[in-house]
Amino acid sequence: MSMPHNIAVLVGSLRKDSYNRKIANAIAGLAPAGVTFEQVPIGDLPLYNEDLETSSPPAQWTAFREKIRSSDAVLFATPEYNRSVPAALKNAIDVGSRPYGKSVFQGKPAAVVSASVGPIGGFGANHHLRQSLVFLDMPVLQQPEAYVGSAQNLFDDAGKLKNADTEKFLRGFAEKFAEWISRNR
Ligand code: FNR
């Protein structure tokens, strides 16, 4: 059994049947014992506005920041929207990164998976996101890279993975991420 880790999961898609959410769920189910995942909702976060950064910021911001702060690591599972990350995910990153000097992301180990219905698996979004993670000073798992293409073909009607190669790949990804967190927490 690996060291216990409690991982916050940020899914860049807000839609109920999101393939990225299904991928995040699959990773959670394939991870080593003791590694737990919790999806942290981002859809209700007010758009970041520095004017709201007072002694009583929006309650949703505070709750979100607390959730990330109390986690050991962050898994980002994102679609690609116009070759970048969806606005909802960028907003969540901006909310968590402030006030200046109090970013809840600072130093937390992270991993990125992107899934798309297209053939290149959200490569553009994956790497756009990594640019922000450099500035947030998050040690990000480098290998294996995880670009999941043609995601619409990978799940059965119940939302379970039906592709053995993808399952093997995601199991390995979850194991490497757990090791990465143990080394970088
Ligand atoms: C997309 N999609 C898309 N796909 C892609 O591979 N590259 C892209 O740049 C885009 N751009 C894009 C913009 C917008 C506004 C939407 C709504 C969609 C398609 C995208 O891969 C597809 O909708 C996925 O199913 C989104 O992921 P979820 O919601 O299934 O997790």
Side-chain angles (χ1 to χ4, degrees):
M1 172 165 155
S2 74
M3 185 177 168
H5 302 305
N6 132 44
I7 301 172
V9 182
L10 298 184
V11 177
S13 174
L14 303 184
R15 73 187 189 95
K16 175 168 54 65
D17 292 328
S18 158
Y19 297 120
N20 283 278
R21 195 175 312 286
K22 289 175 184 169
I23 292 285
N25 289 337
I27 290 171
L30 294 166
V35 180
T36 56
F37 294 77
E38 183 181 354
Q39 289 184 22
V40 182
I42 61 172
D44 66 344
L45 294 173
L47 282 180
Y48 191 76
N49 175 347
E50 282 195 86
D51 292 343
L52 304 181
E53 199 68 270
T54 63
S55 54
S56 53
Q60 299 96 322
W61 289 8
T62 304
F64 175 78
R65 288 167 175 166
E66 277 311 310
K67 270 283 174 209
I68 302 295
R69 192 177 283 115
S70 64
S71 68
D72 301 316
V74 182
L75 172 66
F76 295 89
T78 188
E80 178 169 280
Y81 280 6
N82 301 306
R83 296 285 181 261
S84 186
V85 294
L89 180 56
K90 183 58 167 58
N91 184 52
I93 288 171
D94 295 341
V95 168
S97 71
R98 294 278 150 159
Y100 182 75
K102 293 191 174 162
S103 167
V104 294
F105 295 116
Q106 172 67 39
K108 286 210 194 279
V112 179
V113 56
S114 52
S116 164
V117 297
I120 53 177
F123 174 88
N126 192 305
H127 281 262
H128 244 187
L129 175 57
R130 286 170 184 271
Q131 181 170 324
S132 292
L133 303 188
V134 170
F135 188 64
L136 293 175
D137 198 16
M138 302 181 84
V140 185
L141 180 70
Q142 301 298 323
Q143 293 293 335
E145 296 156 86
Y147 316 110
V148 181
S150 303
Q152 69 279 19
N153 299 328
L154 302 177
F155 299 94
D156 65 18
D157 291 344
K160 268 188 65 77
L161 259 186
K162 62 179 185 186
N163 182 294
D165 288 344
T166 307
E167 181 171 320
K168 185 171 171 215
F169 173 77
L170 292 179
R171 187 188 304 281
F173 178 85
E175 285 166 359
K176 288 283 179 203
F177 187 30
E179 287 168 25
W180 180 251
I181 299 168
S182 298
R183 267 188 278 143
N184 288 283
R185 262 174 76 171

